[in-house]
Amino acid sequence: MLVKRRRVVAWLVLAVLMAVAVFVVARDVPANSSAARLSVENVVCLNDRWEQTSGDSYAFEIPESLDAHPLVLLMKTYAGNFSVLLDDEVLYVHAADAGERTYCVVDVPANSAGKTLTLELPAEDSLGGGTSSSQLGAAYLGEGNGVYLTLVRDNLYAAVFFVLSFLVAVAVAVTVARMRETRRAASEYGFAHAIGVARGGLLDLSLFILVAGVWVLTDSDLLLLVGGYEEAIALVSFTSFMVMPAFLLRFVMNLFDENALLNRLSWLFVLVAAVYLVNEMLGAVPGYVILPFAHVLCVCSIVSIIVLGAKNLRTESTRTARSVMIGFLCLGVFVAVALAMFWRNPLSPYACAYCIGLALLAIGLLDAGLSNLYRRVRDGANAEAYKQLAYLDGLTNLRNRMAFIAAQDELADERDLACVVLDVNDLKQINDQLGHLGGDKAIVAAARCMQDVFDDVGSCYRIGGDEFAVLLPNREKTDVCALVEELKRCVCDVRQSGEVCLDVAVGHAMRREGESVEQMVHRADERMYEAKRVMKSRA
């Protein structure tokens, strides 16, 4: 319970930090951003068209096809300080820390065909001579609608992935909600705990899938079109990337019944996310400085999970481990590709590789989660079945002496408790005269009488060859006496019917103040033997 509370507190603290950080970075957003002015059509992608004129200057000659209309230059870059010029006229000056993802929208006057668009970087931010122009940044030049359509086309994968992630996450969450009712029903059969554990794992899985979709969407350029919220979007993107693996690790821990290393890694991800959010509020260092720590944790997590899955391949959870391993191997391959693309060029479409890997992982994890649920329910049902067999008397279908002892421990704190003890008289003579089949009939008849009288108010047990007991919680003495008399009448009816020659001795006791359950049972037993002696003396 304490661990669960700590988890809840940690996630709440992280949520508050994220909300405050979003407020800090978004409070100075202008009411009317130039990104909102994207309109019209016609676009040229400049990614591979910049010509490096010097070590810190890149140029592009505007073609005749873009003449007559005002143009928009939309840029996504990790460069720090730079200027945009049209011939010798300065159109835009940007100042920021190098390495931070930057979006900017620059208005280019109409009738600019034939003029040269120049991007200048100071020497300290220069990409260096010989650097490929594709590493400069993503840039689109054209009429507004053309830029808009290009962005939508190039980032359609993100929208599709987010929608699918949202739908899958909701479907899993609905399944988890319905499992709550299943868990209540399963409590009767003894495997509610198994369903509860699997339910918690599937909830972590749904959160992982949802956060993955949020990360892919915010990491793409689609939300640039809303205008003015680039910093807040980047913050959500970085935070979701750092939190996403924590939910994933919690889910895998659930599959393999906890793992200390995975638990530590999940909290490290939460810690890195919290540090990032605090840093964004304080502005101590550029956010990208913290990102490598998350990347290192990702690699460690994937390796740890694959090793853990390999170990579990030798257990009976083979299918679960195999599905997890296949999913993470696919993710590992595509994460390696994505990281290589990112560090080679942060502006490359590395997120597409992540999307493919995450989609394959989600399929593997869904299969693993369902097989894990089936395994837990099966094992829980089998364990309960074995427990029932261990506690069941084969002849009478009553609970046996082992169950009777266990029940005494469970009722140790019950004050208003009564015990009724019954013994079949002259069972040895019945066996001698009618054989053991006749003796079994007498025992079964006695058990049936006990069930008819006590099944709705207490628990019946066969605690010896011809001895039975009933535990009655929450009963007054008058009620117990009335039930004992009803039992005697039932036995008399069976004997008079001629079905079997049945006679029993009965004793009962109410629990006294400060008395143990065992002492109460002993008193009831003594009264039963006293009743037996009285019955023999009368005979």
Side-chain angles (χ1 to χ4, degrees), residues 232-269:
I233 292 169
L235 184 142
V236 173
S237 175
F238 273 62
T239 306
S240 58
F241 176 77
M242 295 172 187
V243 169
M244 173 176 60
F247 292 115
L248 178 60
L249 289 167
R250 304 301 303 182
F251 171 70
V252 176
M253 287 166 55
N254 178 276
L255 291 181
F256 298 129
D257 298 320
E258 198 76 25
N259 181 278
L261 177 60
L262 299 187
N263 186 45
R264 294 190 189 99
L265 287 171
S266 69
W267 286 112
L268 283 174
F269 275 110

Side-chain angles (χ1 to χ4, degrees), residues 195-426:
I195 292 181
V197 173
R199 182 170 171 261
L202 289 175
L203 181 60
D204 286 326
L205 177 60
S206 68
L207 290 172
F208 162 71
I209 294 173
L210 180 61
V211 174
V214 171
W215 170 70
V216 169
L217 181 65
T218 54
D219 193 66
S220 71
D221 298 336
L222 272 180
L223 297 185
L224 174 64
L225 300 176
V226 303
Y229 296 93
E230 292 84 358
E231 291 187 17
I233 292 169
L235 184 142
V236 173
S237 175
F238 273 62
T239 306
S240 58
F241 176 77
M242 295 172 187
V243 169
M244 173 176 60
F247 292 115
L248 178 60
L249 289 167
R250 304 301 303 182
F251 171 70
V252 176
M253 287 166 55
N254 178 276
L255 291 181
F256 298 129
D257 298 320
E258 198 76 25
N259 181 278
L261 177 60
L262 299 187
N263 186 45
R264 294 190 189 99
L265 287 171
S266 69
W267 286 112
L268 283 174
F269 275 110
V270 175
L271 177 62
V272 170
V275 170
Y276 171 76
L277 292 172
V278 172
N279 176 70
E280 286 298 310
M281 288 183 280
L282 300 179
V285 297
Y288 71 89
V289 174
I290 302 173
L291 189 59
F293 293 99
H295 287 169
V296 172
L297 287 176
C298 284
V299 174
C300 294
S301 300
I302 292 173
V303 173
S304 300
I305 292 172
I306 291 175
V307 171
L308 182 63
K311 290 180 180 179
N312 279 269
L313 281 175
R314 296 190 290 269
T315 69
E316 60 178 285
S317 57
T318 301
R319 179 180 173 183
T320 300
R322 188 189 305 117
S323 298
V324 171
M325 285 193 64
I326 292 174
F328 272 95
L329 285 171
C330 293
L331 177 65
V333 170
F334 285 97
V335 164
V337 172
L339 290 177
M341 293 171 64
F342 176 83
W343 288 112
R344 183 176 179 273
N345 179 12
L347 299 167
S348 64
Y350 62 90
C352 292
Y354 272 120
C355 288
I356 297 172
L358 288 171
L360 294 174
L361 174 64
I363 293 172
L365 293 183
L366 283 172
D367 180 67
L370 294 175
S371 63
N372 179 59
L373 172 62
Y374 169 77
R375 178 176 61 86
R376 289 185 181 276
V377 171
R378 181 200 64 196
D379 292 347
N382 288 343
E384 181 63 19
Y386 289 135
K387 179 180 177 182
Q388 291 296 332
L389 288 174
Y391 282 180
L392 194 66
D393 176 65
L395 178 62
T396 62
N397 283 331
L398 297 181
R399 298 173 180 86
N400 59 18
R401 186 173 186 83
M402 189 183 302
F404 182 63
I405 295 172
Q408 292 182 54
D409 294 335
E410 294 174 2
L411 296 171
D413 297 328
E414 184 69 41
R415 292 185 177 181
D416 298 326
L417 184 65
C419 178
V420 177
V421 177
L422 177 147
D423 185 88
V424 178
N425 292 331
D426 302 322

Side-chain angles (χ1 to χ4, degrees), residues 1-17 267 270 274:
M1 181 63 69
L2 182 59
V3 174
K4 289 183 178 180
R5 288 178 180 174
R6 287 176 178 173
R7 286 181 62 186
V8 171
V9 171
W11 290 120
L12 286 176
V13 170
L14 196 61
V16 171
L17 286 174
W267 286 112
V270 175

Side-chain angles (χ1 to χ4, degrees), residues 122-141:
E124 62 271 17
D125 288 337
S126 175
L127 298 176
T131 302
S132 169
S133 63
S134 64
Q135 292 180 281
L136 179 61
Y140 302 93
L141 176 66

Side-chain angles (χ1 to χ4, degrees), residues 427-442:
L427 183 62
K428 185 178 183 303
Q429 294 181 12
I430 296 174
N431 286 332
D432 291 342
Q433 294 175 5
L434 303 176
H436 287 286
L437 183 59
D440 289 347
K441 286 184 178 181

